[in-house]
Structure formats: C-alpha cells, structure tokens
Amino acid sequence: MNDCCSVIDLRQYTLHSGARDTLIELFDAELVEGQEATGMHIAGQFRDLDNPDRFVWIRGFRDLPARADALKAFYYGPVWRTHAAAANATMVDSDNALLLKPLTLGAGYPSLDSVRPDAPAGSVIGGAVYHRGSADDGFVAFFTDQIVPVLAETGAEPVAVLESLVAENNFPALPLRDEVVLVWLARFADDAAYAEHRRRLDASPGWQQHVLPELVSRTVRPSQELRLRPTTRSQFR
C-alpha cells in the first residue's frame, strides 16, 4: 500500500457564488507549496462537478502529532498570514472536514515524490462518503466483501479507501465533523468513463437487488456521491 500518510483530511468548502475559480487559482499558485513546506502532503484539489460552489481537497500527514505541528506551522506562518483574507473571502463554510485513516491507498494515489502537474485534467475522481452508525459496525467487511467487487465489475476499482480516524481533534482551530464514515475514491479517464460506470452500476442486478438495499440499511443517512474534476495542479487525477 502507498505509505504516504497515516492521517488524511478530506475537506469540502462551500463558496460564494462564482468564487470557486478565484479560490482555486489562489490555492494552486500560493497555498500548495506553502503547506507542503510544513510537512503536509497535498494530494488532490477538485471542482465538484455537481455543485459549482463546492471546492474539495485532500491533504495527508505522517501521523497525528505531525498533523498538529504542520497545521500550527502553516496557519500561524507567513504564507497563510499573507493570503488568508483573500482565501476566506471566497468561503461561506469551511467546516465540512473529515479526519480519516487509510484502509487502502493504491498505486494510483499520489505518493510523496509524485510530480505535481501543471496542466488541466480531463479525468474524473468519483466515489462516495458512507455515513455509518459506529466504528465497530462491521461496515468495512461489508464494503470489502460486497461493494468492492461490484465497483470493480462496473469500472470503478477504488484507488483509495478511507475510514474515520476516531481521535481528538489536535488542531481545534479547524473544526471536524463528528461522525463515522467510510470514503472510497476511484479514477476515471474522462466523463464518458464515469457515465459508463454509473450506467453499468444502475443496470447491475446484484447491486440493485442485494448490495444497495443492505448499504441503505447499514448507513444512517443517504450516501454522498462524489464526482470531482482535478484542478490544474492536483496530483490525484
């Protein structure tokens, strides 16, 4: 398994109407290297294709103590001090954040030495956030045994599978959602490949008749489907 990180933040920001490109331009130009200089791994930045006012991004840390150290160094440091006002001016809400640990990080997930691109991406990162009742609910086994085979059959082999890291938030200046989830992410070459996966999933008797009903019964609220376009400088693409 890719060993880049044992702690991962998945962050989804709601932005003022029309402000997403402004934030992405600032983020890609000024905030990626500034965070990585403190020890973070900025794995992916994305436009949500189903919500024009949502920016999604992923960052990783070696462990929990490293997370606290890196966040303190960045948010109390010169880069954020210079750009915080401009970034915050684009945001309605930045508290939609999950603290996760990897169950699987495949070869398609960026490693620490991945080259950061500087070109637009046509790929799609798809996946879902499943909202669970508890950390000891047996959901990981259900996901591995029942969901993953259907995803693979329909062209969506997960590149990353993550679940909640149940731990105290060691940088409380940035709130985290207090819930237990499982998140999976897969890469699709383009919009057509993603659409074909969805078509095949919708047409799958095993999914519709068996797996999906059990998924609904095992989760506490509807899943969040993810359909994301990597930004120009996103490593995960």
Side-chain angles (χ1 to χ4, degrees):
M1 184 175 79
N2 185 323
D3 61 356
C4 83
C5 318
S6 68
V7 178
I8 291 176
D9 283 356
L10 173 63
R11 309 187 65 82
Q12 303 187 58
Y13 292 173
T14 300
L15 308 178
H16 292 289
S17 179
R20 185 166 67 182
D21 285 348
T22 299
L23 178 61
I24 287 173
E25 181 178 353
L26 174 64
F27 198 100
D28 278 4
E30 305 293 348
L31 302 182
V32 170
E33 277 82 2
Q35 292 181 86
E36 291 191 328
T38 70
M40 304 184 213
H41 177 44
I42 309 304
Q45 309 94 260
F46 312 98
R47 291 174 171 87
D48 187 321
L49 292 174
D50 297 309
N51 184 338
D53 298 324
R54 181 178 290 146
F55 171 64
V56 180
W57 62 294
I58 302 169
R59 64 181 168 194
F61 309 87
R62 184 179 66 255
D63 52 32
L64 276 171
R67 177 181 185 269
D69 291 343
L71 293 176
K72 290 174 185 175
F74 177 73
Y75 287 104
Y76 301 138
V79 174
W80 185 242
R81 189 161 52 243
T82 299
H83 300 289
N88 287 333
T90 68
M91 301 177 194
V92 175
D93 174 49
S94 61
D95 292 349
N96 185 350
L98 294 165
L99 185 66
L100 307 170
K101 62 182 179 182
L103 298 173
T104 302
L105 294 179
Y109 192 85
S111 60
L112 291 173
D113 58 356
S114 294
V115 176
R116 188 167 297 284
D118 194 17
S123 56
V124 175
I125 303 301
V129 180
Y130 298 142
H131 306 279
R132 300 159 53 187
S134 67
D136 59 354
D137 56 1
F139 191 89
V140 172
F142 163 66
F143 176 80
T144 302
D145 296 341
Q146 302 296 321
I147 296 180
V148 170
V150 181
L151 293 177
E153 288 170 3
T154 58
E157 179 117 23
V159 171
V161 181
L162 315 161
E163 72 167 336
S164 292
L165 175 57
V166 180
E168 182 178 353
N169 183 2
N170 60 1
F171 191 73
L174 294 181
L176 295 167
R177 281 162 51 187
D178 182 18
E179 63 178 302
V180 179
V181 304
L182 183 141
V183 179
W184 66 269
L185 299 166
R187 181 190 180 278
F188 302 86
D190 51 31
D191 294 297
Y194 178 83
E196 176 62 11
H197 154 65
R198 294 300 310 186
R199 185 196 67 77
R200 293 172 63 187
L201 192 65
D202 291 342
S204 166
W207 176 261
Q208 295 296 338
Q209 298 171 19
H210 303 292
V211 179
L212 182 57
E214 185 169 354
L215 173 62
V216 171
S217 72
R218 283 176 170 267
T219 49
V220 297
R221 59 188 175 95
S223 305
Q224 180 193 4
E225 301 293 333
L226 298 173
R227 188 171 68 98
L228 310 172
R229 178 87 73 216
T231 72
T232 296
R233 304 203 65 220
S234 174
Q235 289 183 322
F236 193 4
R237 57 169 52 209

